[in-house]
């Protein structure tokens, strides 16, 4: 058959890879860098707010920081970090050799990255966007601010990457499941990723449309929103939140999935109420689309609309409550191991409940007139985002780290990290509830002294220092563990866990499973440990394995999109060095040329010969 | 390269005789539906252009034709009538299920349609 793989240089290998595991690690690294960047901005903002009338940052810089912090955290940190785990884990958990379209997977990563870099380029051209991550018109129509053009085009580009990755996950989960892996045997992380991908499919499309309208209005002088020209500013808010509310569920559902993996693994019990969990996920997803106007209670859409959206919002508490109780019942009576992953996962539950409670408070439309645009809102969504999503990400990091990097993270440093982070998190955000109730507005760069706000702001900022220390401990942990951490090479299943990813050898071979496994139950590995000999039964004989070729085209197509976006932004620059249209044409050439190349050239991949697979099986153990 | 043969077409089809017959029938159906679609389009134009229908019925009439066309498109050209197409159908229906209330609510809220 086809020729066996040629050796490649390390850099070239990573640039051209279409392997879902390597892409997962690349998402993890890119997401972490963006997370650190946005986190640093948060620290700077908190230092500015440490005392009244501070002048550490100017108002303008502060506005740019809140905007970039929020935008980066949501689109370029949380999303790719979740995608990192989705990429790495989903194929392993469903018994597949890769995602359905490995090339598209690589393309998704590189397009996301080039969009993120395009947004970040704004710092070199007069400063970042400054209209908040919601970019409300007419504020975001300000022609002076080039940063907003970077916002519009950066998000547009990175959104394409997110969208195609999501479609890829959908096709993968539908088509690539191993024999016996029925939909109702999918691990909950796969289920929530599936539903999240559906949400991305239906929510990122309105976002793309909205951003396109904003781009037309800013760069090409269209008049959709400008009231002076008969436009309607409220339409932007609707479009934004029709995307924006589902977006929060896009982020939190995979986080729920991670928690639903970690808690059963370390409670030594199957997940309580699996079916209820699956349907609760779907109900949350559906309701997530029907509540967007709860962000607009104070706009004046009328009492009837406000009431309908208030009640719809509160309904979401029901399926979410089902989930909370199921996690509690999973832990109930379990033999719990409190390692770092489990500490994060179990502390997720009460923290998320706190965020949920303030969510229901905010859903009461009449009272929202008091909370709106105060620090109460900031406290609420950080309890969801940090107390929910980020805690789940840390749990997932410690849980899946051995599979991804062949060694564990240090547990002692992990516990220190957990304690510092928990203290810091609650110090920072708990007092912000009170700041909000006292009337401190959000997105304002300073405040007057002597209004009772001073102490709480001081406490909040000190909390941030604890969180920063915690993140530094995490970084030390990663470096330390890389050198000295407990190796798990040859140990497939270091946690004695339940799901299929732990049946693959460590390090995971590039084809994942030498033989596609036969799935006989929910928690398939656990089933084999109890009813079989602890290894998965193969569903096929050892044979040649067909693998996709790597390709540099995703990088080229993404570079093209970067220049396409940048060229369009140059149209707004006062004195561009070259004609913007040249840059647009160059970008278009790269992008569409790359796409044409991919379409016209046949690429059938290569085969790993049976002999090599057999040798690997002997060396690595794994399936028999 | 050793895998050049992969780009060459197979000499013999891998379809069974029954599948081949099925495919022929399918292609015939597609032609019929295609002509039907053209006919419906022409009908819409002619009916309005030549004043064949009363004025106040014109808009509902072409909307009905449009819906028929949409259904035909979905069933025959988007393969929704086929077996083994359940997932695509599920997603299509989910999409409609989600977007319809959204669009209706949006129109009511921004007052495009005033009742
Ligand atoms: C980990 C420590 C974090 C700290 C100390 C922090 C701090 C802040 C501060 C000071 C603001 C500005 C509040 C205002 O004036 O309205 C803010 C806004 C925001 N943060 Fe965070 N944040 C953190 C993590 C995160 C994470 C992980 C996310 C999302 C994944 C996030 C998402 C947001 C969003 C969406 C906004 C609103 C931005 C806007 O108003 O446009 N934050 N944060
Ligand atoms: Cu919302």
């Amino acid at each position: 058959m086809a020729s066996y793989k040629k050796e490649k240089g390390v850099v070239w290998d990573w640039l051209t890879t279409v392997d879902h595991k390597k892409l997962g690690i690349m998402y993890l690294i890119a997401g972490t860098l963006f997370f650190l960047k946005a986190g640093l901005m948060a620290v700077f903002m908190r230092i500015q707010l440490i005392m009244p009338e501070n002048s550490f940052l100017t108002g303008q810089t502060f506005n740019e920081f809140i905007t970039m912090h929020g935008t980066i955290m949501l689109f370029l940190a949380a999303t790719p970090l979740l995608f990192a785990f989705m990429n790495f884990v989903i194929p392993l958990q469903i018994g597949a050799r890769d995602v359905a379209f490995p090339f598209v997977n690589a393309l998704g990563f590189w397009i996301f990255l080039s969009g993120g870099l395009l947004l970040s380029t704004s710092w070199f051209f007069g400063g970042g966007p400054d209209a908040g991550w919601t970019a409300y018109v007419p504020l975001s129509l300000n022609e002076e601010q080039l940063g907003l053009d970077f916002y519009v085009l950066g998000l547009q580009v990175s959104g394409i990457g997110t969208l195609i990755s999501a479609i890829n996950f959908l096709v993968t989960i539908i088509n690539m499941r191993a024999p016996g892996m029925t939909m109702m045997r999918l691990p909950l992380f796969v289920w929530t990723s599936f539903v999240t991908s559906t949400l991305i499919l239906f929510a990122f499309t309105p976002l793309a449309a909205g951003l396109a309208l904003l781009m037309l209005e800013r760069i090409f002088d269209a008049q959709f929103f400008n009231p002076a020209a008969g436009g309607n500013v409220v339409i932007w808010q609707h479009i934004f939140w029709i995307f924006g509310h589902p977006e929060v569920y896009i982020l939190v559902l995979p986080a729920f999935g991670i928690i639903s993996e970690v808690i059963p693994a370390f409670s030594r019990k199957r997940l309580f109420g699996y079916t209820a969990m699956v349907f609760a996920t779907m109900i949350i997803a559906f309701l997530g689309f029907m509540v967007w106007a709860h962000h607009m209670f104070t706009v004046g859409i009328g009492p009837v609309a406000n009431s309908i959206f208030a009640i719809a919002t509160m309904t979401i508490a029901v399926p979410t409550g089902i989930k909370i109780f199921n996690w509690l019942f999973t832990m109930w009576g379990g033999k719990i191991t409190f390692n770092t992953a489990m500490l994060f996962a179990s502390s997720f539950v009460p923290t998320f409940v706190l965020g949920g409670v303030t969510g229901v408070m905010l859903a009461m439309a009449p009272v929202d007139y008091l909370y709106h645009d105060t620090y109460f809102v900031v406290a609420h969504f950080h309890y969801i985002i940090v107390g929910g999503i980020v805690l789940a990400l840390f749990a997932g990091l410690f849980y899946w780290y051995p599979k991804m990097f062949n060694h564990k993270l240090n547990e002692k440093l992990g516990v220190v990290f957990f304690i510092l982070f928990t203290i810091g998190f609650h110090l920072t955000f708990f007092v912000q509830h009170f700041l909000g109730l006292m009337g401190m507005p959000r997105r304002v760069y300073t405040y007057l002294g002597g209004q009772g706000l001073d102490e709480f702001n001081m406490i909040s900022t000190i909390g941030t220092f604890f969180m920063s220390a915690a993140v530094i401990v995490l970084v030390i942990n990663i470096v330390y563990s890389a050198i000295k951490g407990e190796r798990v090479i040859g140990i497939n299943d270091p946690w004695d866990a339940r799901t299929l990813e732990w049946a693959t050898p460590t390090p995971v071979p590039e084809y994942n499973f030498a033989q596609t496994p036969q799935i006989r139950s929910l928690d398939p590995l656990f089933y084999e440990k109890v009813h079989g000999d602890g290894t998965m039964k193969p569903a096929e004989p050892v044979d040649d394995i067909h693998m996709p070729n790597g390709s540099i085209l995703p990088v080229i197509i993404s570079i093209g999109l970067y220049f396409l976006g940048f060229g369009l932004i140059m149209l707004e620059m006062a004195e561009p060095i070259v004609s913007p249209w040249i840059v647009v044409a160059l970008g278009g050439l790269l992008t569409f040329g790359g796409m044409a190349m991919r379409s016209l050239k046949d690429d059938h991949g290569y085969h790993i010969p049976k002999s090599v697979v057999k040798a690997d099986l002997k060396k690595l153990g794994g399936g028999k | 390269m050793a895998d050049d043969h992969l780009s060459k077409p197979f000499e013999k089809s891998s379809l069974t005789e029954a599948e081949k017959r099925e495919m022929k029938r399918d292609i015939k159906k597609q032609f019929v539906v295609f002509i039907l679609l053209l006919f419906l389009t022409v009908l819409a134009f002619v009916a309005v252009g030549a004043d064949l229908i009363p004025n106040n019925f014109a808009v509902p009439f072409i909307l009905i034709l449009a819906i028929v066309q949409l259904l035909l498109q979905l069933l025959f050209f988007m393969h929704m009538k086929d077996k083994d197409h359940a997932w695509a159908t599920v997603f299509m229906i989910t999409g409609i299920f989600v977007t319809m209330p959204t669009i209706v609510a949006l129109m009511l809220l921004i007052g495009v349609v005033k009742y």
Side-chain angles (χ1 to χ4, degrees):
Chain A
M1 286 302 280
S3 53
Y4 190 46
K5 193 177 143 201
K6 302 168 238 38
E7 279 308 313
K8 295 179 186 167
V10 178
V11 176
W12 186 251
D13 182 31
W14 284 83
L15 282 179
T16 58
T17 188
V18 293
D19 181 346
H20 72 98
K21 297 179 289 296
K22 285 188 176 149
L23 285 166
I25 290 171
M26 275 151 51
Y27 267 118
L28 192 66
I29 295 171
T32 308
L33 292 177
F34 278 119
F35 183 86
L36 293 177
K37 176 181 172 191
L40 203 61
M41 291 180 206
V43 175
F44 284 173
M45 287 190 287
R46 275 316 320 171
I47 292 177
Q48 160 64 20
L49 293 171
I50 192 168
M51 53 189 185
E53 294 184 82
N54 200 358
S55 55
F56 178 69
L57 301 177
T58 63
Q60 178 62 29
T61 314
F62 188 91
N63 289 350
E64 290 171 18
F65 276 8
I66 56 162
T67 307
M68 283 298 255
H69 163 81
T71 311
I72 292 179
M73 280 292 188
L74 295 170
F75 292 97
L76 308 175
T79 309
L81 287 172
L82 291 166
F83 271 21
F85 295 125
M86 283 155 77
N87 247 305
F88 194 92
V89 175
I90 289 177
L92 297 180
Q93 281 195 334
I94 64 175
R97 294 220 163 95
D98 205 322
V99 292
F101 308 116
F103 179 88
V104 176
N105 200 15
L107 190 60
F109 170 77
W110 289 108
I111 293 181
F112 136 74
L113 188 64
S114 74
L117 293 179
L118 183 58
L119 177 62
S120 303
T121 311
S122 61
W123 294 120
F124 303 102
F125 292 89
D130 62 354
W133 82 284
T134 48
Y136 272 14
V137 288
L139 185 58
S140 60
L141 295 180
N142 179 1
E143 296 277 338
E144 318 275 274
Q145 258 288 318
L146 211 53
L148 281 156
D149 296 309
F150 283 96
Y151 170 95
V152 170
L153 281 145
L155 288 189
Q156 188 68 279
V157 171
S158 89
I160 298 172
T162 309
L163 199 54
I164 63 176
S165 304
I167 294 171
N168 204 353
F169 288 132
L170 287 175
V171 182
T172 304
I173 296 169
I174 290 174
N175 284 331
M176 309 285 284
R177 284 168 286 132
M181 180 57 89
T182 58
M183 287 308 277
M184 288 316 276
R185 285 179 184 170
L186 288 179
L188 222 82
F189 180 63
V190 179
W191 255 118
T192 51
S193 304
F194 183 73
V195 175
T196 278
S197 303
T198 316
L199 285 181
I200 292 178
L201 184 63
F202 294 142
F204 268 64
T205 25
L207 173 70
L211 288 171
L213 295 183
L214 193 55
M215 176 189 79
L216 290 174
E217 180 135 356
R218 282 188 59 86
I219 303 181
F220 298 102
D221 302 318
Q223 309 281 358
F224 299 107
F225 305 120
N226 183 358
N232 183 345
V233 286
V234 181
I235 292 177
W236 168 261
Q237 299 191 13
H238 279 295
I239 298 177
F240 187 86
W241 287 114
I242 284 174
F243 146 77
H245 191 82
E247 164 73 2
V248 306
Y249 287 103
I250 287 169
L251 297 176
V252 90
L253 287 180
F256 286 173
I258 295 175
I259 300 301
S260 308
E261 297 296 307
V262 174
I263 286 186
F266 296 115
S267 302
R268 325 233 131 264
K269 270 178 71 186
R270 63 175 284 182
L271 185 69
F272 187 93
Y274 172 85
T275 319
M277 288 296 241
V278 171
F279 284 101
T281 310
M282 291 194 227
I283 294 170
I284 292 175
F286 174 71
L287 288 177
F289 271 103
M290 300 299 146
V291 297
W292 78 89
H294 64 209
H295 296 274
M296 300 167 64
F297 284 150
T298 55
V299 168
I301 50 180
V304 176
N306 272 6
S307 315
I308 293 173
F309 279 97
I311 290 168
T313 305
M314 293 178 202
T315 336
I316 300 190
V318 178
T320 315
I322 293 178
K323 284 189 167 265
I324 300 285
F325 281 110
N326 281 338
W327 289 318
L328 291 178
F329 287 138
T330 307
M331 284 188 267
W332 183 291
K335 232 164 72 195
I336 303 182
T337 320
F338 275 115
N339 53 19
T340 314
M342 185 60 177
L343 282 173
F344 277 115
S346 50
S347 77
F348 163 97
V349 179
T351 318
F352 187 79
V353 169
L354 263 167
V357 168
T358 51
V360 177
M361 290 169 73
L362 288 163
M364 297 187 266
V367 203
D368 186 57
Y369 279 84
L370 292 178
Y371 304 135
H372 183 74
D373 250 342
T374 68
Y375 259 80
F376 191 83
V377 179
V378 178
H380 154 70
F381 70 68
H382 281 91
Y383 262 82
I384 300 285
I385 283 171
V386 184
I389 298 155
V390 175
L391 289 189
L393 283 170
F394 289 148
L397 183 73
F398 276 80
Y399 180 59
W400 280 310
Y401 207 82
K403 243 319 144 229
M404 296 177 92
F405 298 101
N406 312 326
H407 59 266
K408 285 189 180 178
L409 284 173
N410 184 287
E411 280 296 324
K412 281 209 188 80
L413 286 172
V415 174
V416 174
F417 166 51
F418 169 76
I419 293 173
L420 280 178
F421 194 85
T422 306
I423 295 175
F425 166 71
H426 289 287
L427 274 187
T428 307
F429 293 113
F430 194 74
V431 291
Q432 291 185 1
H433 292 113
F434 305 122
L435 283 173
L437 294 179
M438 290 177 205
M440 177 162 163
R442 70 187 273 215
R443 292 181 174 172
V444 174
Y445 81 107
T446 192
Y447 52 95
L448 280 178
Q451 304 185 97
L453 304 176
D454 308 12
E455 290 79 14
F456 284 145
N457 269 303
M458 172 73 88
I459 294 174
S460 183
T461 302
I462 292 173
T464 320
F465 298 150
F466 274 89
M467 265 192 284
S468 315
V471 172
I472 292 171
V473 173
L474 177 64
V475 174
I476 294 174
N477 193 346
I478 288 171
V479 176
Y480 175 83
S481 305
I483 303 165
K484 285 228 156 115
E486 183 190 337
R487 306 286 126 168
V488 292
I489 293 173
I491 304 172
N492 299 352
D493 182 16
W495 306 119
D496 192 13
R498 316 170 69 85
T499 37
L500 199 52
E501 74 270 33
W502 305 105
T504 56
T506 321
V508 188
E510 62 169 326
Y511 48 78
N512 296 352
F513 296 92
Q515 294 157 285
T516 304
Q518 173 74 43
I519 312 302
R520 301 204 284 174
S521 152
L522 181 70
D523 288 351
L525 183 62
F526 178 77
Y527 183 89
E528 298 297 338
K529 284 183 204 166
V530 175
H531 298 282
D533 60 359
T535 57
M536 298 306 300
K537 302 288 159 291
E540 58 176 12
V542 180
D543 205 348
D544 291 345
I545 295 178
H546 186 201
M547 299 296 291
N549 278 328
S551 168
I552 192 68
L553 289 177
V555 177
I556 294 177
I557 293 175
S558 312
I559 293 176
L561 280 176
Y562 179 94
F563 283 112
L564 256 179
F566 193 78
L568 289 176
I569 297 167
M570 283 172 78
L571 288 171
E572 287 290 279
M573 290 182 189
E575 287 151 4
I577 356 167
V578 288
S579 158
W581 291 112
I582 295 178
V583 181
V584 171
L586 180 82
L589 193 71
L590 284 177
T591 300
F592 293 105
M595 282 159 64
M597 227 146 91
R598 171 71 187 172
S599 311
L600 297 178
K601 208 174 131 272
D602 265 348
D603 181 355
H604 295 285
Y606 65 96
H607 281 86
I608 299 178
K610 196 167 156 180
S611 54
V612 176
V613 180
K614 272 204 170 133
D616 281 358
L617 267 178
K618 261 213 198 88
K619 197 170 74 214
L620 299 169
K624 287 210 173 78
Chain B
M1 284 275 285
D3 44 347
D4 273 354
H5 65 276
L6 285 172
S7 326
K8 295 209 184 88
F10 290 101
E11 280 145 31
K12 259 174 50 192
S13 165
S14 62
L15 296 176
T16 64
E17 284 303 312
E19 280 171 327
K20 273 190 201 154
R21 251 177 283 131
E22 179 70 17
M23 201 147 96
K24 270 220 184 97
R25 220 177 307 140
D26 244 30
I27 294 176
K28 222 180 267 164
K29 265 190 219 153
Q30 299 226 341
F31 265 116
V32 174
V33 175
F34 184 61
I35 291 169
L36 191 60
L37 288 175
L38 287 181
F39 170 73
L40 287 174
T41 311
V42 173
L43 185 65
F45 273 95
V46 173
V48 177
D51 274 334
L52 289 183
I53 40 168
N55 255 350
N56 52 358
F57 188 60
V59 172
F61 180 71
I62 47 180
L63 275 181
I64 291 170
L65 289 187
I67 291 171
V68 175
Q69 291 217 19
L70 178 75
L71 287 179
L72 288 175
Q73 289 265 6
L74 286 177
L75 288 175
F76 286 88
F77 293 101
M78 304 296 282
H79 296 281
M80 271 176 78
K81 70 171 178 34
D82 296 3
K83 297 194 293 288
D84 298 329
H85 220 260
W87 274 109
T89 310
V90 165
F91 270 83
M92 215 102 72
I93 292 173
T94 314
I96 294 169
F97 197 58
V98 169
T99 41
M100 276 309 159
T102 308
I103 293 172
V104 170
L106 194 57
M107 283 167 70
L108 289 172
L109 285 174
I110 54 185
V112 173
V113 182
K114 290 205 173 70
Y115 290 106

